[in-house]
Amino acid sequence: MSTLHTVNKSPFERSALQACLGHAQASDSVLLIEDAVMAALSGNAFAAKLADAGQSMKLFVLGPDLKARGLDPAKVASGITVIDYDGFVDLAAENSTIHSWL
């Protein structure tokens, strides 16, 4: 039984990502959407936390939200998979529960 965690707030403004990573289990998936996509870029203050989390859970970022914010998908940190809306739907279907961190 796995959970898809979606985080939509910038980690530079809110603590939703930190709370999510503290509660997510090893078999869970974390999807960064909307302003949370900023955390997925390599070299930022959250890169180490996400790299640690990626050792036990699957990490994703929504590509259209990166592009909408003028961010280059090629600069996403290793270990984080860029997906499109179809991939989002697939993740929702693959997981038994979805938890949105606001």
Side-chain angles (χ1 to χ4, degrees):
M1 190 158 157
S2 59
T3 299
L4 170 61
H5 299 268
T6 62
V7 181
N8 73 335
K9 302 295 182 196
S10 169
F12 300 102
E13 296 176 2
R14 304 264 176 103
S15 61
L17 178 59
Q18 182 118 350
C20 169
L21 295 177
H23 286 87
Q25 301 296 309
S27 62
D28 292 348
S29 297
V30 176
L31 173 61
L32 305 174
I33 61 173
E34 298 175 13
D35 287 342
V37 299
M38 295 179 203
L41 300 178
S42 60
N44 70 49
F46 295 91
K49 289 179 185 179
L50 287 171
D52 287 343
Q55 298 298 313
S56 61
M57 61 189 76
K58 299 174 193 166
L59 303 176
F60 301 90
V61 62
L62 193 61
D65 285 350
L66 286 168
K67 290 180 184 177
R69 285 152 183 80
L71 302 173
D72 185 357
K75 294 186 178 180
V76 169
S78 65
I80 302 175
T81 304
V82 179
I83 61 169
D84 58 13
Y85 291 116
D86 289 337
F88 190 167
V89 172
D90 291 342
L91 280 175
E94 292 168 5
N95 290 275
S96 58
T97 307
I98 301 173
H99 186 95
S100 297
W101 294 85
L102 305 174

